[in-house]
Amino acid sequence: MKIYQVDAFTDRIFSGNPAGVCILPTVKDDTWMQNVAAEMNLSETAFLIKKEDGFNLRWFTPKREVDLCGHGTLASAHILYETGIADKTKEIRFFTKSGVLKASKKDDFIELDFPLEEDKETDAPHGLMEGLKVRPVYVGKNRMDYIVEVESEDIVRGLQPDFEILKKIAARGIIVTSSSSESGIDFVSRFFAPAYGIPEDPVTGSAHCCLGPYWKMRLKKDEFMAHQVSERGGFLKVRVGKDRVYLGGRAITVFCADFRGI
């Protein structure tokens, strides 16, 4: 059995968001997968098992399993295409806790077909603004995350959150976003998930399932170029459909290792 590390949502090594990818020959129990994810110590490690019509896919942070992960799915599709396990001319189907997800090659990008995760406006819970240390323009919540819009890209880039406060927020994570001042970029964001053992996630595909419809309402368009402005940083093409969000990104393999902890 082999395990891979892939930098997702980038075409340059040591940037984007690193994910582990493990293609399992047989079913493994949850404790084993959680231990592997903790050993990899990446924001997510993806585990795949081949099915007749696709792959079962699960994602684990170093602390717990998550229901949806964009960069782990992109990394998985990249490895399946790169190793020849999947035909580059055909779509890959992933069976997950968030339903059927799809991936397909679009020139040098891989496009992911993900569920739309629209937010609803809400009051900020206790500790959210204290933890972020910002004044919000808007606060919303979907089934997984809070989304906070702030006034400018400079505020997003300059955030220095108090993670001890934010880890007490009852949510998977917190998206902070603003319109972009960069040429060719529509909006920027950062993503914090300290309750899941991830103080800041470098590039979060699943957050854009919320960011896409959010900025569609405000910018009156349905195709975007997005920049997640973490220290490593990454870029995504975002296209919003009726009830789906299409995320385009590149990926690059960092290493492949033989896994002996079977």
Side-chain angles (χ1 to χ4, degrees), residues 176-194:
V176 183
T177 187
S178 77
S179 58
S180 177
S181 58
E182 299 177 69
S183 176
I185 303 296
D186 295 291
F187 61 83
V188 298
S189 67
R190 290 172 69 185
F191 184 84
F192 309 103

Side-chain angles (χ1 to χ4, degrees), residues 68 114-122 138-147 175 206-218 220 240-245:
L68 187 64
F114 266 41
L116 186 147
E117 300 284 354
E118 194 167 10
D119 73 281
K120 293 184 179 179
E121 188 170 9
T122 188
Y138 172 91
V139 178
K141 175 78 165 56
N142 66 14
R143 71 184 178 97
M144 299 181 293
D145 306 317
Y146 282 95
I147 180 170
I175 307 162
S206 60
H208 290 75
C209 296
C210 179
L211 285 161
Y214 181 84
W215 285 107
K216 178 180 178 179
M217 291 289 294
R218 284 148 184 83
K220 309 302 180 187
V240 182
K242 182 178 179 181
D243 59 358
R244 307 293 290 179
V245 175

Side-chain angles (χ1 to χ4, degrees), residues 18-40:
V21 177
C22 186
I23 303 171
L24 299 172
T26 58
V27 174
K28 295 291 185 180
D29 63 56
D30 292 7
T31 300
W32 186 91
M33 289 188 285
Q34 186 62 76
N35 285 338
V36 172
E39 186 78 9
M40 291 294 286

